[in-house]
Amino acid sequence: MIPTELVEWGASGSLIREIAEYGARCAAAVGEENVFNFSIGSPSIAPPPVVGETMLRLLQTVPHERLHAYAPAPGMPEVRERLAGYLKDSFDVPYRAEDVLMTNGSSTALALILRVLLARGGRVLTPVPFFPEYRFYAESAGGALTGVPSEPDTMQPDLCALERALEGDVQAVILNSPNNPSGAVIRRDRLNALASLLESRQEQYGHPIYLIADEPYRELVYDGIEVPFLPAIYRNTVYCYSFSKSLSLPGERIGFLALTPGMDEHDALHDAVLGVLRAYGYLCLPPLFQLTAAECIGRTSDLSIYRRNRDLIYGALCEMGYSCIHPDGAFYLFFRAPGGDAQAFCRRAMQEDLLLVPGDGFGCPDHVRLAYCTAPEKLRRSLPVFRRLAEEYHLG
Amino acid sequence: MIPTELVEWGASGSLIREIAEYGARCAAAVGEENVFNFSIGSPSIAPPPVVGETMLRLLQTVPHERLHAYAPAPGMPEVRERLAGYLKDSFDVPYRAEDVLMTNGSSTALALILRVLLARGGRVLTPVPFFPEYRFYAESAGGALTGVPSEPDTMQPDLCALERALEGDVQAVILNSPNNPSGAVIRRDRLNALASLLESRQEQYGHPIYLIADEPYRELVYDGIEVPFLPAIYRNTVYCYSFSKSLSLPGERIGFLALTPGMDEHDALHDAVLGVLRAYGYLCLPPLFQLTAAECIGRTSDLSIYRRNRDLIYGALCEMGYSCIHPDGAFYLFFRAPGGDAQAFCRRAMQEDLLLVPGDGFGCPDHVRLAYCTAPEKLRRSLPVFRRLAEEYHLG
């Protein structure tokens, strides 16, 4: 009576979260300072002070019948208005309040839109490497995900490979830039070429092919590199955003989905996303967090810490002989597993209380992900462990 | 490509929320004080002071890496421990932390468990009247809901009718006591008889038949009437709870699902619920609200206001000639629609800026629901409108 696949979904869980929770148990046993838990992308940098100040002020000043009441399912009108206005001013796309639907973060937005687009089957493409839960969201929605190879040194999408994979059953392409786990930021010329490709294939196949922009890391970018805004390049883009990383608020589960004004099937997509939300029993997001997000959009945590962490760990690991993708954004370092087997390397590292995530789930079983959204001091203290492992594996 | 049924789910929405949002628009137009919006069960009573104090203290004292971090998917261990301990001490059922799964309120818990139990089809029964979204949750999960008549004057479940409806394809029975919309509290002798019936049918059909206890109104009960704790009466009970009503926090979306220790398929149910949550992209509940709930469980808003409201509106409407179910709990009055057509009566009332919900969705097209979780003063000021309508319909 209880479907086996549902049980397995829950029992298997997300590998990243399993490793992170193992790390928390280790920390409880041997002391937090003795575990190098670089497994999860949960920012250890504090939110900017404005976040805490805003929450305190809202709690103390907003009448309870507004602050603690049910919000309308798509979000509070004034919040949707503010977010649409911010997007419009920042990126010159004429968003209106009715284009913005509040969601419990970017991954929820993504799961919702895949549930809508893949309900009748079909495939979604995404360049490798990709966030492992993409596959799960696609399959549990009734469809499938195909990872498409990227250029190995830069992790820029390989347009020829995308072109070959883009058959008639493809409903959408997910792009995640800055990328988790590689830190790559997709360049504008690639995006322009991809948009042309999608436009011609839409015409050929006679149905829309959506781009899904998964952009929780938009603000986390270094060296002044541009993160082009996809909805301005390709009309049929569904934009998914989260405040988890920019404001260091992953636990609050606050983000949104924005439909591009004038996109194909705009109103049907809007209603279908709301319909799925309703079936899930998720009525609305907490007003406290909606109002905080609306007030704080555009602000960020102190990202200079991430840049210094990036410089430190990328520099040190390259110097030791690790083969690393240069991260232009996000807070991950993706490097080739010494010995070529990421699972084996991560198990070995775990013996040294160094927790990393093997690249298998990301579509790269020979790479390893290190999350450097951590205290710089801890990153520095982990270097001798990396050096010992480098020697053991005869790197450099 | 976008399934029509999903679009319709979203486009139709919940009637209650539509009326409530219409009321909000009216209030903006003619002034909040001039609209008698008794449509939605959103408490207008303030949360108890301890809630605001707790949230402020947590915001000011809990380190950001705990307060704003991802929580484990089933909930924070210390929160699950605390809630299990509270249930154990209060109801003498040996709950453990691993029985408790945090959810975005009781309706989400209910939607999740129906998604698990009805994934392969089948039916769920519930006594009429029932919360309209039950039907939607059952159907969108892949199954169906059958409303079973209750005794007309008391709205106690009719056991003979339940017995007739309980065929082999029934996976679960939902009980909601105190009841939305009737305010009825199911008596212990009925529950004992129902438990015996379910036990014998489980044996006969060779599969578990679950009771789903939907209890957001457990604390909202008057005149010292007992609300028996279902998991202590029937082992195969899934207990769904929300802090929305007891703490006046509907917007926070905080509640839990508790599996009864020793129930059939306990571990499979646990993992399948987590699996569905994972597929939805809902990782966890905000630590701020989890910790607040754990600290405030057992506390309530000033419920004496609801009792006074109940006495006021029940007494006044009966005296005017309306035929009302006596509410033993919750904060709703359910009365026969003058003229016999609830839709027509509600439309007429709307012309007087009096917003009520017709009973169609609750399974009673000849009844009307009035939510009296409102300021007593407003309730009092609405009485002349009710009197006018009573005269117009020749009541009394």
Side-chain angles (χ1 to χ4, degrees):
Chain A
M1 189 163 91
I2 302 170
T4 330
E5 76 270 19
L6 302 192
V7 176
E8 279 164 11
W9 292 353
S12 62
S14 145
L15 177 65
I16 297 173
R17 292 178 71 85
E18 266 173 51
I19 297 175
E21 284 161 27
Y22 168 85
R25 288 194 301 274
C26 285
V30 302
E32 213 273 323
E33 68 286 3
N34 297 313
V35 180
F36 300 117
N37 188 351
F38 303 147
S39 62
I40 198 168
S42 189
S44 71
I45 309 306
V50 65
V51 168
E53 289 157 18
T54 304
M55 286 191 188
L56 285 174
R57 178 170 44 73
L58 292 169
L59 273 175
Q60 287 166 319
T61 58
V62 178
H64 69 86
E65 60 271 25
R66 179 161 176 252
L67 192 65
H68 302 301
Y70 293 119
M76 298 168 83
E78 62 273 40
V79 170
R80 301 169 77 194
E81 188 76 48
R82 168 78 186 105
L83 300 183
Y86 176 85
L87 292 176
K88 186 177 167 200
D89 295 346
S90 305
F91 306 113
D92 203 25
V93 173
Y95 284 101
R96 308 145 303 174
E98 60 263 38
D99 301 314
V100 177
L101 298 164
M102 302 305 295
T103 64
N104 295 52
S106 188
S107 54
T108 307
L110 201 117
L112 282 169
I113 196 73
L114 289 181
R115 172 80 176 77
V116 169
L117 296 178
L118 300 179
R120 297 276 182 271
R123 276 188 308 141
V124 60
L125 305 183
T126 196
V128 169
F130 55 84
F131 182 52
E133 294 293 281
Y134 289 175
R135 183 182 299 284
F136 177 66
Y137 297 150
E139 291 176 359
S140 62
L145 176 135
T146 303
V148 181
S150 296
E151 295 181 2
D153 295 333
T154 62
M155 294 293 175
Q156 290 288 310
D158 177 337
L159 286 172
C160 296
L162 269 168
E163 192 165 357
R164 280 192 302 275
L166 202 56
E167 297 173 4
D169 65 337
V170 172
Q171 312 297 337
V173 176
I174 307 173
L175 292 185
N176 171 225
S177 170
N179 180 262
N180 171 10
S182 74
V185 174
I186 310 176
R187 300 290 190 269
R188 183 176 283 278
D189 56 345
R190 299 281 163 132
L191 296 173
N192 286 333
L194 176 62
S196 303
L197 171 63
L198 292 177
E199 269 152 20
S200 82
R201 290 296 170 93
Q202 287 191 140
E203 199 155 324
Q204 183 183 336
Y205 299 138
H207 64 76
I209 304 174
Y210 295 99
L211 255 189
I212 302 175
D214 180 26
E215 298 207 350
Y217 302 101
R218 158 161 287 279
E219 292 80 9
L220 278 64
V221 66
Y222 313 114
D223 314 321
I225 283 182
E226 181 199 19
V227 183
F229 189 67
L230 281 168
I233 295 174
Y234 184 69
R235 191 174 48 94
N236 280 340
T237 296
V238 178
Y239 184 73
C240 303
Y241 184 78
S242 169
F243 295 90
S244 294
K245 317 295 181 178
S246 59
L247 296 179
S248 295
L249 289 178
E252 272 69 4
R253 316 302 312 127
I254 178 102
F256 62 83
L257 179 154
L259 299 169
T260 311
M263 74 190 301
D264 289 341
E265 307 191 87
H266 178 285
D267 295 355
L269 285 171
H270 177 280
D271 286 352
V273 167
L274 281 188
V276 173
L277 267 177
R278 185 179 162 216
Y280 291 177
Y282 289 93
L283 295 173
C284 47
L285 289 192
L288 176 63
F289 299 154
Q290 291 197 49
L291 295 169
T292 301
E295 289 204 24
C296 298
I297 191 167
R299 311 293 288 266
T300 63
S301 300
D302 179 4
L303 305 183
S304 68
I305 300 176
Y306 295 138
R307 190 188 48 70
R308 288 202 301 276
N309 280 356
R310 196 256 336 232
D311 292 347
L312 169 73
I313 193 75
Y314 176 76
L317 264 63
C318 286
E319 186 267 323
M320 293 177 203
Y322 290 89
S323 176
C324 307
I325 310 290
H326 183 262
D328 288 330
F331 42 45
Y332 305 105
L333 183 69
F334 207 48
F335 60 93
R336 194 174 298 275
D341 178 342
Q343 298 247 8
F345 180 77
C346 290
R347 270 197 303 275
R348 176 68 193 90
M350 207 180 262
Q351 294 169 351
E352 309 282 332
D353 290 328
L354 171 61
L355 304 187
L356 304 165
V357 178
D360 306 59
F362 299 101
C364 295
D366 59 349
H367 273 68
V368 170
R369 188 189 82 168
L370 180 164
Y372 58 78
C373 47
T374 180
E377 171 54 21
K378 182 163 255 188
L379 213 52
R380 206 168 294 118
R381 285 198 296 109
S382 76
L383 294 183
V385 180
F386 279 107
R387 192 172 301 278
R388 269 206 305 283
L389 290 169
E391 283 162 11
E392 187 175 320
Y393 283 87
H394 309 292
L395 300 183
Chain B
M1 189 162 89
I2 301 172
T4 330
E5 76 269 19
L6 302 191
V7 177
E8 279 164 11
W9 293 352
S12 62
S14 145
L15 177 65
I16 297 174
R17 292 180 70 86
E18 265 174 51
I19 297 175
E21 284 161 27
Y22 169 84
R25 288 194 300 275
C26 284
V30 303
E32 212 273 324
E33 68 286 3
N34 297 313
V35 180
F36 301 116
N37 187 350
F38 304 146
S39 63
I40 198 168
S42 190
S44 71
I45 309 305
V50 65
V51 167
E53 289 157 19
T54 303
M55 286 192 188
L56 285 175
R57 179 171 43 74
L58 291 170
L59 273 174
Q60 286 166 322
T61 59
V62 178
H64 69 84
E65 60 272 24
R66 179 160 176 253
L67 191 65
H68 301 302
Y70 292 120
M76 298 168 86
E78 62 273 38
V79 171
R80 300 169 77 195
E81 188 77 48
R82 168 80 186 103
L83 300 183
Y86 176 85
L87 293 176
K88 187 177 166 200
D89 295 345
S90 305
F91 305 113
D92 203 24
V93 173
Y95 285 101
R96 307 146 302 175
E98 60 263 37
D99 301 315
V100 177
L101 298 165
M102 303 304 296
T103 64
N104 295 52
S106 188
S107 55
T108 307
L110 202 116
L112 282 168
I113 196 73
L114 290 181
R115 172 80 175 75
V116 169
L117 296 178
L118 300 179
R120 298 275 181 270
R123 276 187 309 141
V124 62
L125 305 183
T126 196
V128 169
F130 55 85
F131 182 55
E133 294 293 279
Y134 288 175
R135 183 182 298 286
F136 177 66
Y137 297 149
E139 292 176 358
S140 62
L145 177 134
T146 303
V148 181
S150 297
E151 295 182 1
D153 295 333
T154 61
M155 294 294 176
Q156 290 289 309
D158 178 336
L159 285 174
C160 296
L162 269 168
E163 193 166 356
R164 279 193 301 275
L166 201 55
E167 296 173 7
D169 65 336
V170 172
Q171 312 298 335
V173 175
I174 307 174
L175 292 185
N176 171 224
S177 170
N179 179 261
N180 171 9
S182 74
V185 175
I186 309 178
R187 300 292 190 266
R188 182 177 283 278
D189 55 345
R190 299 283 163 132
L191 296 173
N192 286 334
L194 176 61
S196 302
L197 170 64
L198 293 177
E199 269 153 23
S200 81
R201 290 297 170 92
Q202 286 191 141
E203 200 155 324
Q204 184 184 338
Y205 299 138
H207 65 75
I209 303 173
Y210 295 99
L211 255 190
I212 302 174
D214 179 26
E215 298 208 350
Y217 301 100
R218 160 161 286 280
E219 293 78 10
L220 278 63
V221 65
Y222 313 113
D223 314 320
I225 283 183
E226 180 198 19
V227 183
F229 188 67
L230 281 168
I233 294 175
Y234 184 69
R235 191 172 48 95
N236 280 340
T237 297
V238 178
Y239 185 74
C240 303
Y241 185 79
S242 169
F243 295 89
S244 294
K245 316 296 180 178
S246 59
L247 296 178
S248 295
L249 289 177
E252 272 69 4
R253 314 302 312 127
I254 178 101
F256 62 84
L257 179 155
L259 299 169
T260 311
M263 74 190 301
D264 289 342
E265 307 192 88
H266 177 285
D267 296 355
L269 286 170
H270 177 281
D271 286 353
V273 167
L274 280 187
V276 172
L277 267 177
R278 184 178 163 216
Y280 292 176
Y282 288 92
L283 296 175
C284 48
L285 289 192
L288 176 64
F289 298 154
Q290 291 197 48
L291 295 169
T292 300
E295 290 204 24
C296 298
I297 190 167
R299 311 293 290 264
T300 62
S301 300
D302 179 4
L303 305 183
S304 68
I305 300 175
Y306 295 138
R307 191 188 47 72
R308 288 202 300 276
N309 279 356
R310 196 252 341 226
D311 293 347
L312 169 72
I313 194 75
Y314 175 76
L317 265 63
C318 285
E319 185 267 321
M320 292 176 201
Y322 290 89
S323 175
C324 307
I325 309 290
H326 183 262
D328 289 328
F331 42 45
Y332 304 105
L333 184 69
F334 206 49
F335 60 93
R336 195 173 297 277
D341 177 341
Q343 299 246 9
F345 180 77
C346 290
R347 270 197 303 276
R348 175 67 192 88
M350 207 181 263
Q351 293 169 352
E352 309 283 332
D353 290 329
L354 170 60
L355 304 187
L356 304 164
V357 178
D360 306 58
F362 299 101
C364 295
D366 58 350
H367 273 68
V368 171
R369 189 189 80 168
L370 180 163
Y372 57 78
C373 48
T374 179
E377 171 53 23
K378 182 161 255 187
L379 213 53
R380 205 168 294 119
R381 284 198 296 112
S382 75
L383 294 182
V385 181
F386 280 106
R387 192 173 300 280
R388 269 206 305 284
L389 290 168
E391 284 162 9
E392 188 176 320
Y393 282 88
H394 308 294
L395 299 184

